Amino acid sequence: MNAPPGAPHDHTHFRDDEASISYYRTMEIAVRELLVEKNVFSLADVRAQIEAMDARTPARGARVVARAWTDAAYRERLLANGAAACEELGLELGPLKLVVVENTPQTHNVIVCTLCSCYPRMLLGLPPDWYKSREYRSRVVREPRRVLEEFGTRLPDAVSIRVHDSTADMRYLVLPMRPTDTDGMNEAQLASRVSRDAMIGTTVIDR
Amino acid sequence: MKLQANHDMGGLTAGRIVPREHTYEPWEKRVDALMMLLSNKDRQLLKVDELRRNIETLGPSAYERMTYYERWMHAICQTLVQRGVITLDELGRRMEEVKARGALPDEGAG
C-alpha cells in the first residue's frame, strides 16, 4: 500500500496541518462514505459513537474506586464481579469481563496488554500512547520494578508486583490503596484523588 | 522464520519507556467509532478477533511503521473486503474520488 501522490486541490477549508491527506485518512473517509451509502450506519451514528467515547474518561474509573473505598460491601462485589459492580453505578461495560485487582501493603498490581492494546476503556477512555508502545508491552512483564521506576514509582523491595496481561474479552482495573490523609472525605473528594495511572498501576497515589 | 510473531512482544527487551501521549485526532476517533459501530451486536460485521488477525498479519516493517489507528484502519478495511461488505474495486475508486476532491479530513462526521 503506497502513499497517495500529490496534494489536495483545494486547501480553502483544509483544517489539518498536513499538505495532503494520508493514505489511511483517505481510506477512512472512503470506507465511511461507502458504509453510510450501504445503510450500515448513518453519520449521526458515527457522531454519537464519538460523543459516547469522549464521555468515557478516567473520572468513571475514579467513581468506582471511590465507592469501593467508602463501601466495604461494594468493594467485595467489585472484586467478585467487576462488570456487575460497575453496572450498579450505571456504567455499562458491554460483553467485557472486568477483573479488579486490589493493591495492598504487600502487593502492587499493574496492567498491560502485551499482544495489542486491550484496556478498560469503558472506565478510563482511550489508552495513552505509552500503554500501546513496544517498550511498555515488552518490558513491564519482564522487569516491572524498573518500568515503574521510569514512571517515578519506587516500591519497597518487600512489596511484590503482579502484572496482569489483558485480553480482548477480559480487562483489568487496579484498585489503588486509599490514601491515609482522606478521613472524612466524601466520594467526590476521594474520586478527585484517583488518577488514571494509579488505576493502570504505573503510579501510586500520594498519601 | 521467526517463531514469535511480531505483535507478541511480552518479555522481549526494549528501550526506556517514553511517557508519550497525544490528544486523539478527529480521524483517529472516527476509526475507533467505525470499529465500535461495526462490531456492535446489532451489526456484527466485525469481530475483535478479525481486527487483531488483520493487524497481526501485517509484516513486521509495516507494523512498526504504521501508527496505531493506521493499523486499525487497515484491519477494518481488510475485514470488510474479506466479508464482502465492500469490494476492493469500489474502495479504490472511492479513494481516488476522495483524493481528487481534496476532501476535508473532518468532513461530515467531525
Side-chain angles (χ1 to χ4, degrees):
Chain A
M1 290 181 169
N2 301 308
H9 303 316
D10 177 9
H11 289 226
T12 316
H13 304 290
F14 209 75
R15 276 178 275 165
D16 271 14
D17 294 336
E18 296 170 40
S20 69
I21 322 174
S22 78
Y23 182 80
Y24 291 99
R25 290 182 195 213
T26 307
M27 185 184 280
E28 185 274 320
I29 295 169
V31 167
R32 170 162 45 88
E33 287 182 358
L34 289 171
L35 293 175
V36 168
E37 286 164 22
K38 290 171 190 286
N39 292 316
V40 172
F41 51 64
S42 67
L43 284 180
D45 292 330
V46 177
R47 276 193 291 273
Q49 187 63 51
I50 290 171
E51 276 167 25
M53 195 67 236
D54 282 343
R56 295 183 193 117
T57 74
R60 291 193 170 194
R63 265 182 70 205
V64 174
V65 168
R67 176 64 61 90
W69 282 347
T70 53
D71 181 338
Y74 182 80
R75 174 183 151 276
E76 291 297 324
R77 294 198 297 279
L78 181 67
L79 295 173
N81 184 337
C86 288
E87 265 173 48
E88 287 183 40
L89 302 188
L91 302 170
E92 187 67 49
L93 301 199
L96 296 180
K97 183 170 180 189
L98 178 75
V99 177
V100 177
V101 286
E102 183 181 37
N103 287 347
T104 68
Q106 291 79 36
T107 307
H108 181 85
N109 296 282
V110 190
I111 65 173
V112 64
C113 173
T114 62
L115 292 175
C116 43
S117 57
C118 300
Y119 184 75
R121 52 158 59 204
M122 301 307 186
L123 296 173
L124 301 185
L126 296 175
D129 293 332
W130 57 260
Y131 185 84
K132 304 182 284 190
S133 71
R134 168 169 288 276
E135 291 76 19
Y136 184 72
R137 288 161 55 189
S138 299
R139 291 180 51 218
V140 74
V141 290
R142 181 190 182 99
E143 44 183 6
R145 212 170 287 272
R146 284 189 60 180
V147 167
L148 292 191
E149 281 175 11
E150 289 172 25
F151 284 93
T153 304
R154 287 190 174 73
L155 295 173
D157 288 345
V159 175
S160 46
I161 302 177
R162 284 195 192 139
V163 184
H164 304 270
D165 197 354
S166 317
T167 70
D169 306 313
M170 192 167 80
R171 313 293 167 100
Y172 294 93
L173 184 83
V174 175
L175 176 57
M177 283 192 286
R178 177 172 173 165
T180 49
D181 62 352
T182 55
D183 285 355
M185 281 191 184
N186 65 30
E187 268 185 58
Q189 290 168 322
L190 286 168
S192 72
R193 295 288 298 275
V194 183
S195 68
R196 179 197 68 193
D197 291 0
M199 294 182 277
I200 298 174
T202 47
T203 62
V204 293
I205 303 171
D206 292 332
R207 8 195 74 217
Chain B
M1 188 174 154
K2 223 161 85 169
L3 289 175
Q4 192 168 1
N6 181 63
H7 67 278
D8 185 7
M9 56 184 73
L12 301 180
T13 55
R16 205 180 156 81
I17 314 286
V18 181
R20 201 171 69 85
E21 306 192 24
H22 80 287
T23 304
Y24 286 102
E25 295 176 32
W27 87 274
E28 294 179 300
K29 291 184 180 183
R30 289 198 301 267
V31 174
D32 201 276
L34 277 184
M35 195 281 285
M36 300 293 275
L37 288 170
L38 290 169
S39 61
N40 183 291
K41 61 176 168 24
D42 297 332
R43 299 187 185 84
Q44 301 197 38
L45 289 172
L46 183 151
K47 286 193 185 302
V48 71
D49 309 281
E50 289 173 291
L51 184 82
R52 283 191 49 200
R53 178 169 59 90
N54 281 312
I55 289 173
E56 291 164 6
T57 49
L58 280 165
S61 70
Y63 188 96
E64 297 295 331
R65 190 180 61 244
M66 292 162 72
T67 66
Y68 184 75
Y69 278 110
E70 287 175 351
R71 294 196 292 257
W72 271 38
M73 193 59 232
H74 161 85
I76 289 168
C77 201
Q78 290 284 103
T79 303
L80 291 173
V81 171
Q82 286 157 0
R83 281 178 174 248
V85 179
I86 60 175
T87 67
L88 269 180
D89 185 53
E90 67 183 344
L91 175 69
R93 276 187 280 117
R94 182 56 60 97
M95 284 181 70
E96 285 306 315
E97 283 172 35
V98 171
K99 274 195 284 179
R101 68 176 111 107
L104 313 179
D106 298 333
E107 185 181 40

